Amino acid sequence: MYGKVKDELAATLQEIRDAGLYKQERELTSPQSAHVTTTQTQALNFCANNYLGLADDPGIVEAAKVGLDEWGFGMASVRFICGTQTPHRRLEQRLSEFLGTEDTILYSSCFDANGGFFEVLFDAEDAIISDELNHASIIDGVRLSKAQRFRYRNADMADLRRQLEAARDCRRVVIATDGVFSMDGSYAPLPQICDLAEEYGAMVFVDDSHAVGFVGEGGRGTPELFGVQDRVDVVTGTLGKALGGASGGYTSSHREVVELLRQRSRPYLFSNSVAPAVVTGSLAALDLIAASHDKRDRLRRNTELFTDLMTDAGFDLLPGTHPIRPVMFPGDDGARRATEIADHMLKAGVYVIAFSYPVVPKGKARIRVQLSAAHTESDIRACVEAFAAARDAVG
Ligand SMILES: *Cc1c(COP(=O)(O)O)cnc(C)c1O
């Protein structure tokens, strides 16, 4: 019986609204792209994870259509029963080649890859040492395991060392980090993490969702950027951002790790296979990324241009080279200003998102801009002009 639960839920929803935390979804009436239309307006999109602009790439759409024709719509099965087709195997092999790992296992999402990892490898006598800013899916994955949990301050290597000391007597130890922290656009200090891991005999786990496809010379992500591909034990990532943006995720690692995940990882064993068209489309995305620097170069130039123009216009950006570029609005009324500026910009046809406490620390409100290879120079200039106009209007 629903009964008084109805009133309780209504009260909770009102609390969310009163706290200014209610999330309104803007409905797109177009494909995902640099230029989108919503039910309200046309907008330049600066808040998608569409880093390489592949979400509506004609070659990838075509590859997905071929996948539909050749392999059907859906698998109606988990992988180990009858949900594995040749393209699923091919994509796992292609990801392993691309990332320089021994083997790869696909999941329906990176959320599932992270959710299904820790429990399989780490038990009560083991330790997981996690960066405090790690993605929710790592946090949930860690919660599902019986391992002892340790947390270190974001990218703080002295604190990581303290936690490694505290975990010294554990059987297995893993350091888990995002490759890129998505609120700041900052990189995890992987060389130092790998040094400490070697000193203490720990494994290294990196979730590279905000890097795979475009960070590093070949787009292989943060381990490539830092030259530590051979020192990172486990990489997870998503197909839902730069690699076409559809859906799906993976864990790529040593042979035995992947083999054991196929036997024991619950989201893999108990959730449907990735749809064939998504697999063939993602294969085409990987081919495109491996064959050419063009989109990566374009993304880097766009990021530099945006940073330069915004800095010249007097805005305060967090330092960094990642296409996540946070524009900061510090102080007590920063949250209000960031929200009003973002609202103002949307009315002017530029879609950006403001983040404030509790998503980011108090006093560190920001508008997170995400650049894409699909943006043109004039798109970026229009975005910067909209920022300046909104600042003038809001004060
Ligand atoms: C986006 C993201 C995920 C989730 O990926 P999905 O494939 O959409 O589930 C996981 N981890 C990190 C760090 C992410 O940025």
Side-chain angles (χ1 to χ4, degrees), residues 321-369:
T321 56
H322 190 277
I324 291 174
R325 306 279 39 236
V327 182
M328 304 304 286
F329 296 89
D332 287 343
D333 74 336
R336 180 193 59 81
R337 290 184 69 220
T339 305
E340 285 182 20
I341 287 176
D343 288 348
H344 201 277
M345 288 175 70
L346 186 63
K347 287 195 194 106
V350 177
Y351 192 3
V352 292
I353 295 281
F355 291 96
S356 55
Y357 183 78
V359 180
V360 295
K362 270 210 170 86
K364 295 201 170 171
R366 66 200 63 186
I367 291 176
R368 185 178 74 172
V369 173

mmCIF file of all heavy atoms in Angstrom, residues 321-369:
data_model
loop_
_atom_site.group_PDB
_atom_site.id
_atom_site.type_symbol
_atom_site.label_atom_id
_atom_site.label_comp_id
_atom_site.label_asym_id
_atom_site.label_seq_id
_atom_site.Cartn_x
_atom_site.Cartn_y
_atom_site.Cartn_z
ATOM 1 N N THR A 321 44.994 21.342 -19.069
ATOM 2 C CA THR A 321 44.935 21.181 -20.516
ATOM 3 C C THR A 321 43.801 20.262 -20.958
ATOM 4 O O THR A 321 43.578 20.065 -22.144
ATOM 5 C CB THR A 321 46.260 20.574 -21.032
ATOM 6 O OG1 THR A 321 46.484 19.341 -20.337
ATOM 7 C CG2 THR A 321 47.432 21.509 -20.783
ATOM 8 N N HIS A 322 43.097 19.664 -19.997
ATOM 9 C CA HIS A 322 41.997 18.765 -20.350
ATOM 10 C C HIS A 322 40.811 19.582 -20.875
ATOM 11 O O HIS A 322 40.592 20.706 -20.426
ATOM 12 C CB HIS A 322 41.595 17.958 -19.114
ATOM 13 C CG HIS A 322 40.650 16.845 -19.410
ATOM 14 N ND1 HIS A 322 39.285 17.047 -19.519
ATOM 15 C CD2 HIS A 322 40.864 15.533 -19.653
ATOM 16 C CE1 HIS A 322 38.711 15.884 -19.808
ATOM 17 N NE2 HIS A 322 39.641 14.947 -19.894
ATOM 18 N N PRO A 323 40.041 19.035 -21.845
ATOM 19 C CA PRO A 323 38.898 19.784 -22.390
ATOM 20 C C PRO A 323 37.759 20.034 -21.404
ATOM 21 O O PRO A 323 36.805 20.745 -21.753
ATOM 22 C CB PRO A 323 38.433 18.926 -23.573
ATOM 23 C CG PRO A 323 39.080 17.612 -23.411
ATOM 24 C CD PRO A 323 40.324 17.816 -22.620
ATOM 25 N N ILE A 324 37.813 19.493 -20.208
ATOM 26 C CA ILE A 324 36.940 19.985 -19.132
ATOM 27 C C ILE A 324 37.593 21.256 -18.605
ATOM 28 O O ILE A 324 38.697 21.216 -18.076
ATOM 29 C CB ILE A 324 36.826 18.955 -17.984
ATOM 30 C CG1 ILE A 324 36.048 17.715 -18.439
ATOM 31 C CG2 ILE A 324 36.173 19.591 -16.759
ATOM 32 C CD1 ILE A 324 36.008 16.597 -17.410
ATOM 33 N N ARG A 325 36.923 22.399 -18.791
ATOM 34 C CA ARG A 325 37.510 23.683 -18.375
ATOM 35 C C ARG A 325 36.569 24.363 -17.388
ATOM 36 O O ARG A 325 35.598 25.000 -17.789
ATOM 37 C CB ARG A 325 37.761 24.595 -19.588
ATOM 38 C CG ARG A 325 38.584 24.001 -20.727
ATOM 39 C CD ARG A 325 40.113 24.050 -20.479
ATOM 40 N NE ARG A 325 40.523 23.788 -19.128
ATOM 41 C CZ ARG A 325 41.271 24.615 -18.374
ATOM 42 N NH1 ARG A 325 41.668 25.740 -18.817
ATOM 43 N NH2 ARG A 325 41.602 24.260 -17.161
ATOM 44 N N PRO A 326 36.829 24.229 -16.089
ATOM 45 C CA PRO A 326 35.949 24.865 -15.105
ATOM 46 C C PRO A 326 36.209 26.369 -15.008
ATOM 47 O O PRO A 326 37.348 26.787 -14.863
ATOM 48 C CB PRO A 326 36.329 24.165 -13.792
ATOM 49 C CG PRO A 326 37.158 22.975 -14.195
ATOM 50 C CD PRO A 326 37.839 23.369 -15.472
ATOM 51 N N VAL A 327 35.130 27.144 -15.109
ATOM 52 C CA VAL A 327 35.187 28.599 -14.963
ATOM 53 C C VAL A 327 34.699 28.904 -13.551
ATOM 54 O O VAL A 327 33.554 28.596 -13.208
ATOM 55 C CB VAL A 327 34.291 29.285 -16.019
ATOM 56 C CG1 VAL A 327 34.378 30.799 -15.898
ATOM 57 C CG2 VAL A 327 34.672 28.817 -17.421
ATOM 58 N N MET A 328 35.569 29.483 -12.731
ATOM 59 C CA MET A 328 35.302 29.543 -11.294
ATOM 60 C C MET A 328 34.543 30.813 -10.894
ATOM 61 O O MET A 328 34.804 31.904 -11.422
ATOM 62 C CB MET A 328 36.627 29.473 -10.522
ATOM 63 C CG MET A 328 37.459 28.242 -10.844
ATOM 64 S SD MET A 328 36.572 26.683 -10.579
ATOM 65 C CE MET A 328 36.577 26.616 -8.782
ATOM 66 N N PHE A 329 33.630 30.637 -9.930
ATOM 67 C CA PHE A 329 32.899 31.755 -9.333
ATOM 68 C C PHE A 329 33.000 31.601 -7.824
ATOM 69 O O PHE A 329 32.090 31.098 -7.180
ATOM 70 C CB PHE A 329 31.438 31.774 -9.822
ATOM 71 C CG PHE A 329 31.352 32.015 -11.298
ATOM 72 C CD1 PHE A 329 31.379 30.948 -12.189
ATOM 73 C CD2 PHE A 329 31.293 33.303 -11.803
ATOM 74 C CE1 PHE A 329 31.341 31.171 -13.559
ATOM 75 C CE2 PHE A 329 31.248 33.530 -13.168
ATOM 76 C CZ PHE A 329 31.275 32.466 -14.046
ATOM 77 N N PRO A 330 34.121 32.023 -7.258
ATOM 78 C CA PRO A 330 34.376 31.766 -5.843
ATOM 79 C C PRO A 330 33.525 32.665 -4.946
ATOM 80 O O PRO A 330 32.882 33.606 -5.414
ATOM 81 C CB PRO A 330 35.874 32.086 -5.700
ATOM 82 C CG PRO A 330 36.179 33.028 -6.810
ATOM 83 C CD PRO A 330 35.228 32.720 -7.916
ATOM 84 N N GLY A 331 33.568 32.368 -3.673
ATOM 85 C CA GLY A 331 32.946 33.231 -2.670
ATOM 86 C C GLY A 331 31.517 32.860 -2.340
ATOM 87 O O GLY A 331 30.961 31.910 -2.910
ATOM 88 N N ASP A 332 30.948 33.635 -1.427
ATOM 89 C CA ASP A 332 29.643 33.305 -0.860
ATOM 90 C C ASP A 332 28.522 33.346 -1.893
ATOM 91 O O ASP A 332 27.595 32.542 -1.827
ATOM 92 C CB ASP A 332 29.297 34.283 0.271
ATOM 93 C CG ASP A 332 30.138 33.987 1.510
ATOM 94 O OD1 ASP A 332 30.699 32.870 1.571
ATOM 95 O OD2 ASP A 332 30.236 34.877 2.380
ATOM 96 N N ASP A 333 28.580 34.295 -2.830
ATOM 97 C CA ASP A 333 27.484 34.358 -3.793
ATOM 98 C C ASP A 333 27.882 33.723 -5.137
ATOM 99 O O ASP A 333 27.210 33.918 -6.149
ATOM 100 C CB ASP A 333 26.983 35.801 -3.968
ATOM 101 C CG ASP A 333 27.958 36.642 -4.776
ATOM 102 O OD1 ASP A 333 29.162 36.279 -4.799
ATOM 103 O OD2 ASP A 333 27.533 37.648 -5.369
ATOM 104 N N GLY A 334 28.970 32.944 -5.128
ATOM 105 C CA GLY A 334 29.438 32.299 -6.349
ATOM 106 C C GLY A 334 28.416 31.336 -6.936
ATOM 107 O O GLY A 334 28.229 31.282 -8.158
ATOM 108 N N ALA A 335 27.754 30.579 -6.056
ATOM 109 C CA ALA A 335 26.780 29.598 -6.536
ATOM 110 C C ALA A 335 25.646 30.295 -7.281
ATOM 111 O O ALA A 335 25.239 29.872 -8.362
ATOM 112 C CB ALA A 335 26.237 28.778 -5.371
ATOM 113 N N ARG A 336 25.164 31.396 -6.680
ATOM 114 C CA ARG A 336 24.073 32.134 -7.312
ATOM 115 C C ARG A 336 24.539 32.712 -8.657
ATOM 116 O O ARG A 336 23.848 32.595 -9.665
ATOM 117 C CB ARG A 336 23.605 33.271 -6.390
ATOM 118 C CG ARG A 336 22.467 34.110 -6.962
ATOM 119 C CD ARG A 336 22.242 35.407 -6.181
ATOM 120 N NE ARG A 336 23.422 36.269 -6.141
ATOM 121 C CZ ARG A 336 23.797 37.091 -7.134
ATOM 122 N NH1 ARG A 336 23.098 37.143 -8.238
ATOM 123 N NH2 ARG A 336 24.885 37.837 -7.005
ATOM 124 N N ARG A 337 25.719 33.329 -8.652
ATOM 125 C CA ARG A 337 26.214 33.937 -9.887
ATOM 126 C C ARG A 337 26.403 32.894 -10.986
ATOM 127 O O ARG A 337 26.014 33.113 -12.138
ATOM 128 C CB ARG A 337 27.529 34.666 -9.637
ATOM 129 C CG ARG A 337 27.386 35.919 -8.801
ATOM 130 C CD ARG A 337 28.708 36.651 -8.670
ATOM 131 N NE ARG A 337 29.130 37.227 -9.926
ATOM 132 C CZ ARG A 337 30.393 37.242 -10.364
ATOM 133 N NH1 ARG A 337 31.341 36.689 -9.650
ATOM 134 N NH2 ARG A 337 30.685 37.800 -11.513
ATOM 135 N N ALA A 338 27.008 31.758 -10.627
ATOM 136 C CA ALA A 338 27.254 30.719 -11.634
ATOM 137 C C ALA A 338 25.938 30.252 -12.244
ATOM 138 O O ALA A 338 25.813 30.106 -13.466
ATOM 139 C CB ALA A 338 28.020 29.550 -11.005
ATOM 140 N N THR A 339 24.936 30.036 -11.383
ATOM 141 C CA THR A 339 23.642 29.556 -11.876
ATOM 142 C C THR A 339 22.983 30.612 -12.775
ATOM 143 O O THR A 339 22.470 30.291 -13.858
ATOM 144 C CB THR A 339 22.708 29.235 -10.690
ATOM 145 O OG1 THR A 339 23.401 28.317 -9.838
ATOM 146 C CG2 THR A 339 21.422 28.597 -11.149
ATOM 147 N N GLU A 340 23.032 31.864 -12.325
ATOM 148 C CA GLU A 340 22.382 32.917 -13.124
ATOM 149 C C GLU A 340 23.090 33.121 -14.465
ATOM 150 O O GLU A 340 22.445 33.350 -15.488
ATOM 151 C CB GLU A 340 22.350 34.237 -12.331
ATOM 152 C CG GLU A 340 21.302 34.203 -11.225
ATOM 153 C CD GLU A 340 21.210 35.515 -10.449
ATOM 154 O OE1 GLU A 340 21.665 36.564 -10.964
ATOM 155 O OE2 GLU A 340 20.686 35.470 -9.328
ATOM 156 N N ILE A 341 24.411 33.037 -14.424
ATOM 157 C CA ILE A 341 25.156 33.200 -15.682
ATOM 158 C C ILE A 341 24.842 32.046 -16.638
ATOM 159 O O ILE A 341 24.601 32.262 -17.834
ATOM 160 C CB ILE A 341 26.667 33.337 -15.389
ATOM 161 C CG1 ILE A 341 26.931 34.726 -14.779
ATOM 162 C CG2 ILE A 341 27.497 33.126 -16.649
ATOM 163 C CD1 ILE A 341 28.359 34.975 -14.353
ATOM 164 N N ALA A 342 24.791 30.820 -16.109
ATOM 165 C CA ALA A 342 24.464 29.673 -16.970
ATOM 166 C C ALA A 342 23.051 29.808 -17.553
ATOM 167 O O ALA A 342 22.829 29.532 -18.741
ATOM 168 C CB ALA A 342 24.612 28.363 -16.195
ATOM 169 N N ASP A 343 22.095 30.272 -16.721
ATOM 170 C CA ASP A 343 20.722 30.464 -17.211
ATOM 171 C C ASP A 343 20.688 31.525 -18.307
ATOM 172 O O ASP A 343 20.023 31.360 -19.335
ATOM 173 C CB ASP A 343 19.797 30.905 -16.063
ATOM 174 C CG ASP A 343 19.520 29.767 -15.091
ATOM 175 O OD1 ASP A 343 19.847 28.605 -15.431
ATOM 176 O OD2 ASP A 343 18.992 30.039 -13.997
ATOM 177 N N HIS A 344 21.401 32.590 -18.054
ATOM 178 C CA HIS A 344 21.464 33.686 -19.012
ATOM 179 C C HIS A 344 22.064 33.205 -20.336
ATOM 180 O O HIS A 344 21.586 33.548 -21.425
ATOM 181 C CB HIS A 344 22.312 34.816 -18.419
ATOM 182 C CG HIS A 344 22.068 36.149 -19.042
ATOM 183 N ND1 HIS A 344 22.685 36.532 -20.209
ATOM 184 C CD2 HIS A 344 21.262 37.170 -18.663
ATOM 185 C CE1 HIS A 344 22.270 37.746 -20.515
ATOM 186 N NE2 HIS A 344 21.409 38.155 -19.605
ATOM 187 N N MET A 345 23.108 32.410 -20.235
ATOM 188 C CA MET A 345 23.776 31.914 -21.446
ATOM 189 C C MET A 345 22.863 30.997 -22.247
ATOM 190 O O MET A 345 22.867 31.027 -23.479
ATOM 191 C CB MET A 345 25.082 31.206 -21.083
ATOM 192 C CG MET A 345 26.158 32.196 -20.624
ATOM 193 S SD MET A 345 27.662 31.394 -20.050
ATOM 194 C CE MET A 345 28.316 30.745 -21.597
ATOM 195 N N LEU A 346 22.076 30.178 -21.539
ATOM 196 C CA LEU A 346 21.170 29.289 -22.273
ATOM 197 C C LEU A 346 20.151 30.100 -23.068
ATOM 198 O O LEU A 346 19.843 29.772 -24.213
ATOM 199 C CB LEU A 346 20.460 28.308 -21.323
ATOM 200 C CG LEU A 346 19.614 27.252 -22.046
ATOM 201 C CD1 LEU A 346 20.484 26.351 -22.925
ATOM 202 C CD2 LEU A 346 18.809 26.415 -21.081
ATOM 203 N N LYS A 347 19.666 31.185 -22.443
ATOM 204 C CA LYS A 347 18.728 32.051 -23.178
ATOM 205 C C LYS A 347 19.390 32.632 -24.423
ATOM 206 O O LYS A 347 18.736 32.872 -25.432
ATOM 207 C CB LYS A 347 18.214 33.172 -22.272
ATOM 208 C CG LYS A 347 17.219 32.659 -21.246
ATOM 209 C CD LYS A 347 16.431 33.795 -20.581
ATOM 210 C CE LYS A 347 15.718 33.288 -19.334
ATOM 211 N NZ LYS A 347 16.367 33.750 -18.085
ATOM 212 N N ALA A 348 20.704 32.851 -24.324
ATOM 213 C CA ALA A 348 21.456 33.367 -25.477
ATOM 214 C C ALA A 348 21.917 32.239 -26.404
ATOM 215 O O ALA A 348 22.675 32.481 -27.353
ATOM 216 C CB ALA A 348 22.652 34.184 -24.998
ATOM 217 N N GLY A 349 21.485 30.996 -26.107
ATOM 218 C CA GLY A 349 21.781 29.905 -27.027
ATOM 219 C C GLY A 349 23.110 29.196 -26.790
ATOM 220 O O GLY A 349 23.634 28.559 -27.696
ATOM 221 N N VAL A 350 23.640 29.282 -25.558
ATOM 222 C CA VAL A 350 24.870 28.540 -25.230
ATOM 223 C C VAL A 350 24.598 27.704 -23.989
ATOM 224 O O VAL A 350 24.245 28.233 -22.933
ATOM 225 C CB VAL A 350 26.061 29.487 -24.990
ATOM 226 C CG1 VAL A 350 27.294 28.692 -24.586
ATOM 227 C CG2 VAL A 350 26.343 30.314 -26.245
ATOM 228 N N TYR A 351 24.759 26.412 -24.140
ATOM 229 C CA TYR A 351 24.365 25.481 -23.095
ATOM 230 C C TYR A 351 25.591 25.070 -22.284
ATOM 231 O O TYR A 351 26.480 24.364 -22.772
ATOM 232 C CB TYR A 351 23.712 24.270 -23.766
ATOM 233 C CG TYR A 351 22.989 23.304 -22.866
ATOM 234 C CD1 TYR A 351 22.856 23.506 -21.501
ATOM 235 C CD2 TYR A 351 22.403 22.167 -23.408
ATOM 236 C CE1 TYR A 351 22.182 22.613 -20.700
ATOM 237 C CE2 TYR A 351 21.716 21.257 -22.625
ATOM 238 C CZ TYR A 351 21.624 21.487 -21.266
ATOM 239 O OH TYR A 351 20.952 20.593 -20.485
ATOM 240 N N VAL A 352 25.654 25.569 -21.047
ATOM 241 C CA VAL A 352 26.696 25.176 -20.093
ATOM 242 C C VAL A 352 26.010 24.893 -18.767
ATOM 243 O O VAL A 352 24.855 25.260 -18.567
ATOM 244 C CB VAL A 352 27.761 26.289 -19.894
ATOM 245 C CG1 VAL A 352 28.600 26.488 -21.140
ATOM 246 C CG2 VAL A 352 27.100 27.601 -19.470
ATOM 247 N N ILE A 353 26.712 24.232 -17.854
ATOM 248 C CA ILE A 353 26.088 23.827 -16.598
ATOM 249 C C ILE A 353 26.868 24.382 -15.412
ATOM 250 O O ILE A 353 28.097 24.298 -15.376
ATOM 251 C CB ILE A 353 26.061 22.281 -16.486
ATOM 252 C CG1 ILE A 353 25.163 21.682 -17.577
ATOM 253 C CG2 ILE A 353 25.580 21.825 -15.116
ATOM 254 C CD1 ILE A 353 23.691 21.744 -17.286
ATOM 255 N N ALA A 354 26.139 24.921 -14.437
ATOM 256 C CA ALA A 354 26.755 25.404 -13.197
ATOM 257 C C ALA A 354 26.734 24.289 -12.152
ATOM 258 O O ALA A 354 25.774 23.524 -12.063
ATOM 259 C CB ALA A 354 25.986 26.619 -12.683
ATOM 260 N N PHE A 355 27.817 24.193 -11.403
ATOM 261 C CA PHE A 355 27.890 23.229 -10.301
ATOM 262 C C PHE A 355 28.217 23.973 -9.017
ATOM 263 O O PHE A 355 29.078 24.849 -9.005
ATOM 264 C CB PHE A 355 28.997 22.193 -10.547
ATOM 265 C CG PHE A 355 28.703 21.247 -11.670
ATOM 266 C CD1 PHE A 355 29.198 21.480 -12.944
ATOM 267 C CD2 PHE A 355 27.940 20.104 -11.460
ATOM 268 C CE1 PHE A 355 28.932 20.606 -13.987
ATOM 269 C CE2 PHE A 355 27.671 19.225 -12.497
ATOM 270 C CZ PHE A 355 28.162 19.473 -13.757
ATOM 271 N N SER A 356 27.506 23.613 -7.958
ATOM 272 C CA SER A 356 27.824 24.225 -6.669
ATOM 273 C C SER A 356 27.712 23.159 -5.583
ATOM 274 O O SER A 356 27.413 21.999 -5.874
ATOM 275 C CB SER A 356 26.892 25.408 -6.406
ATOM 276 O OG SER A 356 25.552 25.005 -6.505
ATOM 277 N N TYR A 357 27.967 23.578 -4.329
ATOM 278 C CA TYR A 357 27.879 22.667 -3.205
ATOM 279 C C TYR A 357 26.535 21.946 -3.222
ATOM 280 O O TYR A 357 25.531 22.600 -3.481
ATOM 281 C CB TYR A 357 28.044 23.477 -1.905
ATOM 282 C CG TYR A 357 28.040 22.667 -0.658
ATOM 283 C CD1 TYR A 357 29.170 21.956 -0.264
ATOM 284 C CD2 TYR A 357 26.882 22.572 0.111
ATOM 285 C CE1 TYR A 357 29.145 21.190 0.890
ATOM 286 C CE2 TYR A 357 26.859 21.800 1.262
ATOM 287 C CZ TYR A 357 27.988 21.112 1.651
ATOM 288 O OH TYR A 357 27.962 20.345 2.768
ATOM 289 N N PRO A 358 26.437 20.648 -2.968
ATOM 290 C CA PRO A 358 27.482 19.740 -2.485
ATOM 291 C C PRO A 358 28.265 18.993 -3.579
ATOM 292 O O PRO A 358 29.066 18.122 -3.242
ATOM 293 C CB PRO A 358 26.682 18.742 -1.646
ATOM 294 C CG PRO A 358 25.375 18.629 -2.376
ATOM 295 C CD PRO A 358 25.126 19.976 -2.984
ATOM 296 N N VAL A 359 28.005 19.309 -4.854
ATOM 297 C CA VAL A 359 28.711 18.580 -5.913
ATOM 298 C C VAL A 359 30.195 18.971 -5.921
ATOM 299 O O VAL A 359 31.062 18.162 -6.228
ATOM 300 C CB VAL A 359 28.050 18.867 -7.284
ATOM 301 C CG1 VAL A 359 28.764 18.136 -8.406
ATOM 302 C CG2 VAL A 359 26.585 18.471 -7.256
ATOM 303 N N VAL A 360 30.464 20.244 -5.606
ATOM 304 C CA VAL A 360 31.846 20.723 -5.464
ATOM 305 C C VAL A 360 31.936 21.389 -4.087
ATOM 306 O O VAL A 360 30.903 21.683 -3.483
ATOM 307 C CB VAL A 360 32.216 21.721 -6.595
ATOM 308 C CG1 VAL A 360 32.223 21.036 -7.945
ATOM 309 C CG2 VAL A 360 31.267 22.909 -6.611
ATOM 310 N N PRO A 361 33.162 21.625 -3.573
ATOM 311 C CA PRO A 361 33.264 22.198 -2.222
ATOM 312 C C PRO A 361 32.599 23.575 -2.124
ATOM 313 O O PRO A 361 32.498 24.304 -3.119
ATOM 314 C CB PRO A 361 34.774 22.308 -1.996
ATOM 315 C CG PRO A 361 35.396 21.339 -2.948
ATOM 316 C CD PRO A 361 34.480 21.299 -4.139
ATOM 317 N N LYS A 362 32.163 23.915 -0.899
ATOM 318 C CA LYS A 362 31.577 25.250 -0.633
ATOM 319 C C LYS A 362 32.549 26.341 -1.066
ATOM 320 O O LYS A 362 33.747 26.231 -0.868
ATOM 321 C CB LYS A 362 31.315 25.402 0.867
ATOM 322 C CG LYS A 362 29.951 24.940 1.308
ATOM 323 C CD LYS A 362 29.454 25.738 2.531
ATOM 324 C CE LYS A 362 27.999 25.430 2.820
ATOM 325 N NZ LYS A 362 27.809 24.238 3.662
ATOM 326 N N GLY A 363 32.012 27.392 -1.689
ATOM 327 C CA GLY A 363 32.860 28.516 -2.086
ATOM 328 C C GLY A 363 33.630 28.265 -3.374
ATOM 329 O O GLY A 363 34.440 29.089 -3.788
ATOM 330 N N LYS A 364 33.389 27.093 -4.006
ATOM 331 C CA LYS A 364 34.105 26.784 -5.251
ATOM 332 C C LYS A 364 33.132 26.493 -6.395
ATOM 333 O O LYS A 364 33.343 25.582 -7.208
ATOM 334 C CB LYS A 364 35.049 25.591 -5.045
ATOM 335 C CG LYS A 364 36.161 25.920 -4.060
ATOM 336 C CD LYS A 364 37.339 25.009 -4.231
ATOM 337 C CE LYS A 364 38.514 25.524 -3.400
ATOM 338 N NZ LYS A 364 39.619 24.580 -3.358
ATOM 339 N N ALA A 365 32.060 27.265 -6.429
ATOM 340 C CA ALA A 365 31.086 27.112 -7.512
ATOM 341 C C ALA A 365 31.769 27.368 -8.852
ATOM 342 O O ALA A 365 32.764 28.092 -8.924
ATOM 343 C CB ALA A 365 29.930 28.085 -7.306
ATOM 344 N N ARG A 366 31.227 26.747 -9.861
ATOM 345 C CA ARG A 366 31.862 26.861 -11.184
ATOM 346 C C ARG A 366 30.848 26.579 -12.291
ATOM 347 O O ARG A 366 29.799 25.976 -12.047
ATOM 348 C CB ARG A 366 32.998 25.853 -11.297
ATOM 349 C CG ARG A 366 32.523 24.406 -11.270
ATOM 350 C CD ARG A 366 33.636 23.460 -10.904
ATOM 351 N NE ARG A 366 34.131 23.708 -9.552
ATOM 352 C CZ ARG A 366 35.190 23.093 -9.021
ATOM 353 N NH1 ARG A 366 35.871 22.219 -9.720
ATOM 354 N NH2 ARG A 366 35.561 23.355 -7.798
ATOM 355 N N ILE A 367 31.210 27.016 -13.475
ATOM 356 C CA ILE A 367 30.511 26.562 -14.676
ATOM 357 C C ILE A 367 31.494 25.647 -15.388
ATOM 358 O O ILE A 367 32.623 26.055 -15.698
ATOM 359 C CB ILE A 367 30.090 27.736 -15.560
ATOM 360 C CG1 ILE A 367 28.981 28.529 -14.857
ATOM 361 C CG2 ILE A 367 29.617 27.231 -16.923
ATOM 362 C CD1 ILE A 367 28.538 29.777 -15.593
ATOM 363 N N ARG A 368 31.099 24.405 -15.583
ATOM 364 C CA ARG A 368 31.994 23.457 -16.230
ATOM 365 C C ARG A 368 31.742 23.478 -17.731
ATOM 366 O O ARG A 368 30.657 23.116 -18.181
ATOM 367 C CB ARG A 368 31.788 22.050 -15.674
ATOM 368 C CG ARG A 368 32.806 21.073 -16.256
ATOM 369 C CD ARG A 368 32.644 19.698 -15.666
ATOM 370 N NE ARG A 368 31.466 19.007 -16.181
ATOM 371 C CZ ARG A 368 31.179 17.739 -15.947
ATOM 372 N NH1 ARG A 368 31.968 17.020 -15.172
ATOM 373 N NH2 ARG A 368 30.104 17.187 -16.442
ATOM 374 N N VAL A 369 32.742 23.885 -18.470
ATOM 375 C CA VAL A 369 32.660 23.900 -19.928
ATOM 376 C C VAL A 369 33.399 22.675 -20.446
ATOM 377 O O VAL A 369 34.478 22.338 -19.959
ATOM 378 C CB VAL A 369 33.305 25.188 -20.481
ATOM 379 C CG1 VAL A 369 33.385 25.147 -21.995
ATOM 380 C CG2 VAL A 369 32.517 26.403 -20.013
#
